[in-house]
Amino acid sequence: MSTSKNKMSVLQLTILTAVNMMGSGIIMLPTKLAEVGTISILSWIVTAVGSMALAYAFAKCGMFSRRSGGMGGYAEYAFGKSGNFMANYTYGISLLIANVAIAISAVGYGAELMDATMTPLGICIATIVVLWICTIANFGGARITGQISSITVWGVIIPVVGISIIGWWWFNPEQYINSWNPHNFPFFEAVGSSIAMTLWAFLGMESACANSEAVENPEKNVPIAVLGGTLGAAVIYIVSTNVIAGIVPNMDLANSTAPFGLAFSQMFTPGVGKIIMALMIMSCCGSLLGWQFTIAQVFKASSDSGYFPKIFSAVSKADAPVKGMLVIVVIQSALSLMTISPSLNKQFNVLVNLAVVTNIIPYILSMAAMIILQKVAKVEPHKARTSNIIAFIGAIYSFYALYSSGEDAVMWGALATFLGWTLYGFVSPRFEMKQNQDLMTK
């Protein structure tokens, strides 16, 4: 019996893909980009092209891979079990860090909403409280998490799409031009310094092909939807952040912890700005709720495969990995304490750069696996060649994003990655013993 009536159209999947990426990644971006200037629009263009290359390659990986585990499964084609472990490990570390940055975003908007001046320690404590609340809210299981997230995502969609459409009535071209490169950075430094921040907004694109079974003709429509969704998100990101730069003076924007609220305050009234801040906080908490559940599932999948400790596999009656969630939030609480900075913006910046660096590692492993993955799937050579070229472009962009993330982020990201190889040594007997025993008997 055909189930095509229950399938999504390519347009529906495209919209779903764009909405999934528009979580909380954008809400602090106008502030961070203002620290560079409106020249950062060039960074958006570079990142949009790189992200579409990565998204297309991930869609193809999802179509042809016969291994479970997402990016870990893709990496295993080229790098074996150790590649699978490293992809899952670095992706898990990235989500740990990224979720702390999302919580800090919520705290920043909350402080502006309440007109509160917070000390670094106060910001840290508030961040930890937000993390714990959003973790405990997940104890009810995936259904409740999904229902909440489907509502809260509108808290970011309404302001971001809204300002992209109506913000032009308040746009000042002269102000925008004067904010082009206010600090007189060299051209390539100015473009490169915003790359990590713009890529931050696209993190999660690798999960866009998870709905391949829910769409008609997935081999054709999933890549179209992923590319269309990524391009759609890119347009909204570029337009919204650049419209704000023409509404709010550069220095005010660079010092704000609630840039969208500030923009709407100037467009309308402070009361409207407060409403936007409340919507953004709602969206942040909803996004954090979903990502805290996602990271617990990532750790659970790795635990089920034997890579991570068994505590992450334990589930409650509601089928929620509660014990794993508690371990994760304790680690995040420690991370919040370790990254205390003089200002909220600086702490956010440190966490975003580190999250981007660690997230790029599984990207690179997945792109490198494209050739052998397609050979195993017996993809026609002319079709495989196109995908391999696009994956190579995605890999080049990934290395550029690594370079642009800064020395400190790369150093800490490298240390975290090297630690992963050591940790794999402890679990490797489960996967490598048979191969080594076969070598001993030869």
Side-chain angles (χ1 to χ4, degrees):
M1 189 174 89
S2 173
T3 57
S4 60
K5 291 182 179 179
N6 297 323
K7 299 283 189 178
M8 284 189 287
S9 68
V10 66
L11 178 60
Q12 289 172 322
L13 185 60
T14 300
I15 294 171
L16 180 64
T17 300
V19 169
N20 283 344
M21 273 187 281
M22 287 181 60
S24 59
I26 190 175
I27 72 172
M28 286 293 291
L29 278 181
T31 290
K32 305 314 301 177
L33 298 179
E35 294 175 3
V36 178
T38 51
I39 192 174
S40 58
I41 189 174
L42 301 178
S43 303
W44 274 121
I45 294 171
V46 171
T47 295
V49 173
S51 295
M52 283 193 289
L54 288 167
Y56 180 88
F58 281 126
K60 287 297 184 181
C61 285
M63 296 278 54
F64 300 127
S65 175
R66 294 297 175 263
R67 300 183 191 274
S68 61
M71 290 187 288
Y74 308 155
E76 188 173 338
Y77 278 89
F79 304 102
K81 293 293 185 180
S82 63
N84 191 324
F85 172 86
M86 287 304 297
N88 285 323
Y89 165 78
T90 50
Y91 185 53
I93 293 295
S94 174
L95 292 183
L96 272 173
I97 299 165
N99 288 5
V100 178
I102 293 173
I104 288 175
S105 299
V107 171
Y109 269 77
E112 287 286 339
L113 179 64
M114 304 299 293
D115 293 321
T117 301
M118 302 182 70
T119 64
L121 181 59
I123 292 169
C124 177
I125 293 172
T127 300
I128 292 172
V129 170
V130 171
L131 286 166
W132 276 89
I133 290 173
C134 290
T135 298
I136 294 170
N138 274 311
F139 289 178
R143 184 169 171 269
I144 295 175
T145 298
Q147 288 174 339
I148 295 173
S149 297
S150 65
I151 296 171
T152 58
V153 71
W154 290 99
V156 72
I157 291 176
I158 292 171
V160 172
V161 175
I163 202 168
S164 299
I165 297 172
I166 67 174
W168 295 104
W169 293 101
W170 292 267
F171 184 81
N172 184 338
E174 184 178 352
Q175 179 174 287
Y176 182 88
I177 293 169
N178 291 337
S179 300
W180 180 252
N181 189 2
H183 304 290
N184 297 314
F185 290 127
F187 179 79
F188 288 105
E189 181 183 342
V191 175
S193 62
S194 302
I195 290 293
M197 280 296 164
T198 51
L199 179 57
W200 161 256
F202 288 97
L203 294 189
M205 74 183 94
E206 69 282 346
S207 63
C209 53
N211 296 290
S212 58
E213 295 181 2
V215 67
E216 296 178 358
N217 192 6
E219 187 168 348
K220 175 185 176 182
N221 288 337
V222 168
I224 291 173
V226 169
L227 278 175
T230 304
L231 180 60
V235 170
I236 292 172
Y237 288 156
I238 292 170
V239 172
S240 62
T241 54
N242 281 274
V243 167
I244 288 180
I247 296 172
V248 182
N250 181 262
M251 288 306 297
D252 292 344
L253 198 56
N255 293 319
S256 175
T257 58
F260 279 91
L262 179 60
F264 275 88
S265 292
Q266 294 205 9
M267 290 163 57
F268 298 103
T269 65
V272 174
K274 296 287 187 183
I275 293 172
I276 296 300
M277 291 177 199
L279 285 172
M280 288 290 193
I281 294 169
M282 178 185 78
S283 174
C284 252
C285 291
S287 177
L288 182 59
L289 186 75
W291 278 112
Q292 285 292 85
F293 192 87
T294 298
I295 187 175
Q297 292 295 333
V298 169
F299 275 59
K300 181 182 181 300
S302 294
S303 176
D304 291 342
S305 300
Y307 295 124
F308 289 4
K310 287 299 179 184
I311 189 172
F312 293 108
S313 290
V315 295
S316 66
K317 292 181 179 179
D319 202 30
V322 172
K323 291 182 180 179
M325 289 179 187
L326 290 173
V327 173
I328 289 166
V329 77
V330 167
I331 296 172
Q332 289 171 324
S333 299
L335 185 62
S336 300
L337 289 167
M338 289 168 59
T339 56
I340 289 179
S341 298
S343 72
L344 182 146
N345 284 339
K346 185 174 181 181
Q347 187 174 8
F348 178 82
N349 193 41
V350 168
L351 289 166
V352 165
N353 284 342
L354 187 53
V356 167
V357 166
T358 49
N359 203 92
I360 287 173
I361 304 302
Y363 284 6
I364 292 172
L365 293 174
S366 299
M367 295 303 101
M370 178 66 82
I371 294 175
I372 187 171
L373 194 156
Q374 292 188 108
K375 284 184 178 293
V376 172
K378 298 180 180 179
V379 179
E380 295 177 19
H382 70 280
K383 292 183 179 179
R385 190 178 303 113
T386 300
S387 297
N388 290 336
I389 291 172
I390 293 174
F392 181 72
I393 293 171
I396 293 296
Y397 169 74
S398 296
F399 280 106
Y400 178 53
L402 272 178
Y403 173 78
S404 301
S405 296
E407 294 178 1
D408 287 345
V410 171
M411 181 194 73
W412 288 108
L415 288 175
T417 302
F418 296 153
L419 175 62
W421 290 116
T422 301
L423 295 176
Y424 181 71
F426 289 100
V427 299
S428 62
R430 304 173 190 173
F431 310 106
E432 309 294 346
M433 278 298 293
K434 186 178 185 304
Q435 181 179 351
N436 284 289
Q437 286 171 347
D438 291 342
L439 287 173
M440 293 293 290
T441 56
K442 288 183 180 179

